[in-house]
Amino acid sequence: LSAARNTGIRESVGAYVVFLDADDRLLPGAVSAGLACFYAHPESAFVFGAHRRIGAGGMPVGKPIMNPIDEDHYSTLLKGNVIGMHAAVMYRRHVLLSVGGFNTSLNACEDYDLYLRIAGDFKVSCHKTLVAEYRVHGLNMSSDMDLMLKNTLTVLGWQWNRAKTS
């Protein structure tokens, strides 16, 4: 997954990148909401909005999820992946290239690792627009708690030295 996304980053030519998994949906207005947020916060390396869960058939499950980060983006992300869905994020492509893209040694939580590596060195911003839908079904990687815990602890372990000084 990480290697495929890194290939996409390298081969793309635009200034901005959004990643969308095959079973999820990007909503109308998502790109314009991300660009508007970048326009309002030109110093940001990535911006993100709200998402909602949908069932296998595409119907909404629960309310939209938005966990804004107003201050100290890095520390907030250390406490947990408040972004929650990768398609809700729009990146500046040059930032993705500058940090080396996704870590290919991870088989899960590669998005969380990337958020932390970027937020440790750059400003990030959020908006409250609903931009994406995360399809919930029995095969979601995020439902494998052992895999997610193992990879989350690995990602946080890599941040240990930096976090001690933040």
Side-chain angles (χ1 to χ4, degrees):
L1 183 62
S2 293
R5 287 181 175 162
N6 287 341
T7 298
I9 295 165
R10 282 191 310 275
E11 297 298 320
S12 65
V13 295
Y16 304 96
V17 178
V18 175
F19 297 95
L20 184 65
D21 292 339
D23 55 350
D24 299 331
R25 298 192 293 209
L26 203 60
L27 297 174
V31 172
S32 59
L35 292 174
C37 192
F38 272 126
Y39 183 76
H41 304 281
E43 70 286 359
S44 294
F46 72 74
V47 300
F48 69 97
H51 71 280
R52 71 177 160 214
R53 294 182 174 151
I54 58 174
M59 296 302 297
V61 176
K63 296 180 180 183
I65 300 166
M66 178 69 223
N67 297 303
I69 302 176
D70 297 322
E71 299 290 327
D72 200 354
H73 309 100
Y74 178 72
S75 291
T76 300
L77 284 164
L78 277 175
K79 295 172 188 170
N81 183 355
V82 297
I83 296 170
M85 184 192 182
H86 205 195
V89 181
M90 179 181 281
Y91 298 92
R92 290 189 188 276
R93 180 176 173 265
H94 75 87
V95 172
L96 291 171
L97 291 168
S98 75
V99 300
F102 293 92
N103 186 325
T104 58
S105 72
L106 291 168
N107 59 354
C109 302
E110 68 285 342
D111 53 345
Y112 186 40
D113 172 66
L114 186 63
Y115 304 152
L116 286 167
R117 288 189 288 122
I118 292 173
D121 292 326
F122 300 92
K123 181 171 175 24
V124 301
S125 296
C126 58
H127 56 85
K128 295 181 180 170
T129 305
L130 179 62
V131 294
E133 294 177 324
Y134 178 78
R135 193 174 308 270
V136 179
H137 52 75
L139 299 176
N140 290 106
M141 183 185 303
S142 60
S143 65
D144 183 341
M145 294 299 161
D146 291 337
L147 175 70
M148 299 306 289
L149 179 59
K150 176 184 170 230
N151 282 277
T152 298
L153 292 174
T154 297
V155 166
L156 291 172
W158 292 338
Q159 295 298 318
W160 183 255
N161 288 333
R162 179 184 203 122
K164 287 192 304 188
T165 61
S166 291

